[in-house]
């Protein structure tokens, strides 16, 4: 068992890709000790990727790229901007609202950061926002993409933990909306402090009506996509396919502005994402299987039980682990490595796997916004021509908001499980 983790961390330190490090760390103990049949690994690798739901992640990324190319992002931003009006910090608030809406279309935090930030960062700077603040807001809004359904990280967690994807989506709704609202409140006070006004447009119902009508296609998309899942008409993968067809219909038939080169690029990104995801999921399944055979979760569970039998304290400890790993590992790596280890431990403590999935994603949200590896932070830094340190300074209040809600939900998990329990799907 020790050899497996020593090899894994040693390979990471010398820069070996994560999937290769996991695969090597899984195979080497079998070769050295010969305790288990070598045929176990190919079978486990294949069974790990033989899951139809995994394709939903790549399909949602493709649909998001097509929607951005068609201008659907602009319409969503206009709706958000009309709802905010000329209040302090309004452009920042509209960025957060638009990111929330776009996240409900694509399930990707990085996609939301790029799509919304590429439009709003320049506008914020023109209206007196410091470039690092503009970048921080773009990264912050994009982080909501990992929690607002459909959420790509929740899909991967659901596959690895054998948890209902639809139930996880419902569990992420209320926390996602609470955090988005809290971000908006924080931005309002930042806007008051720095005297940041939105635009020359005051709030008016007429403007809201025009924006809603213009953005009807964008607003209708999450209703169709999520509605098809919750109504039982479609599986998450089928809903992702529906999202791609919807994006194609809007871009090629309604707007007629999507170029062939943009379609090729969208499908290329989706194919690359799928390849990486399948490779990592396959080796992670073998890694998880071997840790189970070596009784790693049981050993960790016994060690944790020797410290405390309080589920809340255990979850606080795991949240601390997630915050630290989020600083150094990207999203997919965290989910793939930690899920097979933590879920069996929490099952013995009676902690709902649906709730832990949301807590895991909240920890990942903080990782999106913290150096040195935070994906959203890195992209927003480039788009705003700032340094990571400059942008990170403005991220602090938003990270504290996520941390507050994560701790709050640990003590009040019924908030997360309210919607799943409403239809009897949280068990």
């Amino acid at each position: 068992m020790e050899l497996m983790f020593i090899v894994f961390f040693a390979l990471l330190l010398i820069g070996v890709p994560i999937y290769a490090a996991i695969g090597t760390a899984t195979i080497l103990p079998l070769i050295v000790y010969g305790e288990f049949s070598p045929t176990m690994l190919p079978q486990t690798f294949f069974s790990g990727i033989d899951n139809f739901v995994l394709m939903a992640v790549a399909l949602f990324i493709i649909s998001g790229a097509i929607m951005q190319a068609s201008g659907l992002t602009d319409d969503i931003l206009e709706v958000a901007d009309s709802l905010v009006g000329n209040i302090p910090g309004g452009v920042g608030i509209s960025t957060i609202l638009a990111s929330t809406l776009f996240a409900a279309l694509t399930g990707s935090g990085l996609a939301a950061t790029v799509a919304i930030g590429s439009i709003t960062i320049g506008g914020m700077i023109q209206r007196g926002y410091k470039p690092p603040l503009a970048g921080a807001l773009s990264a912050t809004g994009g982080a909501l993409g990992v929690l607002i359904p459909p959420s790509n990280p929740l899909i991967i967690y659901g596959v690895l933990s054998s948890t209902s994807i639809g139930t996880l989506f419902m569990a992420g709704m209320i926390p996602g909306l609470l955090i988005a609202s809290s971000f908006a409140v924080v931005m309002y006070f930042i806007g008051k402090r720095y005297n940041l006004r939105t635009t020359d447009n005051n709030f008016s119902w007429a403007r809201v009506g025009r924006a809603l009508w213009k953005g009807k296609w964008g607003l209708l998309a999450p209703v169709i996509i999520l509605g098809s899942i919750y109504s039982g008409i479609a599986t998450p993968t089928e809903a992702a396919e529906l999202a791609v067809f919807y994006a194609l219909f809007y871009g090629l038939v309604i707007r007629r502005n999507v170029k062939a080169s943009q379609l090729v690029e969208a499908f290329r990104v989706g194919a690359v994402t799928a390849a990486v995801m399948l490779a990592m999921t396959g080796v992670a399944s073998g890694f998880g299987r071997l840790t189970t055979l070596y009784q790693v979760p049981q050993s960790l569970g016994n060690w944790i039980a020797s410290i405390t039998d309080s589920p809340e304290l255990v979850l606080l400890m795991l949240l601390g682990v997630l915050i630290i790993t989020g600083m150094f590992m990207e999203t997919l790596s965290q989910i793939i490595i930690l899920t097979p280890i933590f879920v069996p431990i929490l099952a013995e403590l009676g902690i709902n796997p649906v709730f832990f999935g949301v807590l895991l994603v909240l920890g990942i949200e903080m990782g999106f916004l913290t150096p040195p590896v935070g994906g959203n932070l890195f992209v927003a830094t480039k788009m705003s021509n700032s340094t990571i340190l400059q942008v990170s300074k403005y991220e602090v209040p938003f990270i504290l908001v996520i941390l507050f809600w994560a701790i709050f939900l640990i003590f009040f998990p019924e908030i997360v499980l309210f919607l799943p329990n409403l239809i009897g799907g949280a068990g």
Side-chain angles (χ1 to χ4, degrees):
M1 180 179 71
E2 291 83 1
L3 177 63
M4 181 170 62
F5 288 99
I6 291 172
V7 170
F8 173 66
F9 287 111
L11 292 175
L12 284 184
L13 287 174
I14 63 175
V16 174
I18 187 78
Y19 72 90
I22 296 174
T24 305
T26 305
I27 294 170
L28 197 58
L30 296 182
I31 297 174
V32 173
Y33 300 121
E35 295 176 298
F36 305 107
S37 171
T39 60
M40 176 198 73
L41 285 183
Q43 294 170 350
T44 306
F45 288 173
F46 179 78
S47 63
I49 64 174
D50 186 25
N51 196 311
F52 190 55
V53 176
L54 285 172
M55 293 310 300
V57 177
L59 291 169
F60 277 126
I61 289 174
I62 292 170
S63 68
I66 298 172
M67 289 175 185
Q68 184 181 356
S70 67
L72 198 66
T73 312
D74 303 54
D75 296 341
I76 291 173
L77 184 58
E78 190 169 332
V79 171
D81 199 38
S82 71
L83 292 171
V84 170
N86 188 27
I87 66 173
V91 173
I93 295 173
S94 66
T95 297
I96 292 168
L97 292 177
S99 297
T100 304
L101 291 171
F102 194 72
L105 298 176
T106 65
S108 170
L110 196 59
T113 299
V114 174
I116 304 299
S118 61
I119 301 170
T120 59
I121 286 178
M124 283 189 279
I125 294 173
Q126 289 176 0
R127 292 177 176 88
Y129 286 63
K130 295 180 179 179
L133 174 58
L137 289 170
S138 175
T140 298
L144 292 168
V146 299
L147 191 57
I148 300 289
S151 162
N152 290 340
L154 282 178
I155 292 174
I156 298 168
Y157 169 81
V159 170
L160 292 174
S161 63
S162 300
T163 307
S164 165
I165 308 297
T167 302
L168 287 168
F169 282 177
M170 280 187 287
M173 272 191 177
I174 293 178
L177 294 175
L178 287 172
I179 292 173
S181 302
S182 301
F183 283 170
V185 171
V186 169
M187 188 58 231
Y188 172 80
F189 286 106
I190 292 175
K192 286 194 71 172
R193 178 181 177 183
Y194 294 106
N195 193 29
L196 299 172
R197 290 282 170 178
T198 314
T199 64
D200 298 328
N201 299 305
N202 292 316
F203 177 86
S204 74
W205 286 111
R207 184 179 175 226
V208 171
R210 289 192 299 270
L212 287 173
W213 178 252
K214 183 179 179 182
K216 60 185 179 295
W217 291 100
L219 298 174
L220 186 61
V223 176
I224 295 174
I225 295 166
L226 297 176
S228 68
I229 297 174
Y230 300 142
S231 66
I233 296 174
T235 66
T237 304
E238 291 166 345
E241 294 169 355
L242 181 62
V244 174
F245 282 113
Y246 188 92
L248 287 170
F249 176 77
Y250 180 76
L252 298 177
V253 179
I254 303 299
R255 291 290 290 267
R256 301 180 183 179
N257 61 348
V258 177
K259 300 176 183 177
S261 59
Q262 293 172 315
L263 288 178
V264 170
E265 178 62 15
F267 283 99
R268 185 195 68 81
V269 171
V272 170
T273 301
V276 172
M277 178 182 58
L278 290 174
M280 292 191 67
T281 304
V283 296
S285 298
F287 183 82
R289 173 69 171 156
L290 203 58
T291 58
T292 301
L293 292 173
Y294 280 125
Q295 297 188 326
V296 174
Q298 293 89 331
S299 300
L300 284 175
N302 293 334
W303 177 73
I304 291 173
S306 68
I307 299 174
T308 178
D309 59 356
S310 167
E312 290 82 8
L313 187 55
V314 170
L315 288 171
L316 287 172
M317 292 167 60
L318 294 184
L319 180 62
V321 172
L322 291 172
I323 292 172
I324 294 171
T325 57
M327 293 180 181
F328 302 98
M329 298 171 64
E330 49 87 27
T331 303
L332 188 58
S333 302
Q334 286 184 81
I335 297 174
I336 283 176
I337 293 171
L338 300 179
T339 297
I341 296 175
F342 285 166
V343 169
I345 296 173
L346 299 176
E348 291 187 7
L349 294 172
I351 295 172
N352 193 301
V354 174
F355 172 78
F356 179 66
V358 172
L359 184 67
L360 176 64
V361 169
L362 283 174
I364 288 170
E365 275 196 60
M366 286 183 269
F368 271 131
L369 304 176
T370 52
V373 181
N376 285 21
L377 184 65
F378 180 79
V379 170
T381 296
K382 295 296 183 183
M383 290 194 297
S384 62
N385 293 317
S386 306
T387 67
I388 287 182
L389 185 61
Q390 289 172 329
V391 176
S392 298
K393 181 179 71 172
Y394 289 101
E395 292 289 4
V396 172
F398 299 103
I399 294 173
L400 291 177
V401 165
I402 301 174
L403 182 60
F404 165 79
W405 280 114
I407 295 173
F408 184 85
L409 293 173
I410 285 175
F411 291 96
F412 299 96
E414 56 271 13
I415 295 175
V416 174
L417 300 176
F418 174 74
L419 287 179
N421 284 333
L422 201 61
I423 66 163

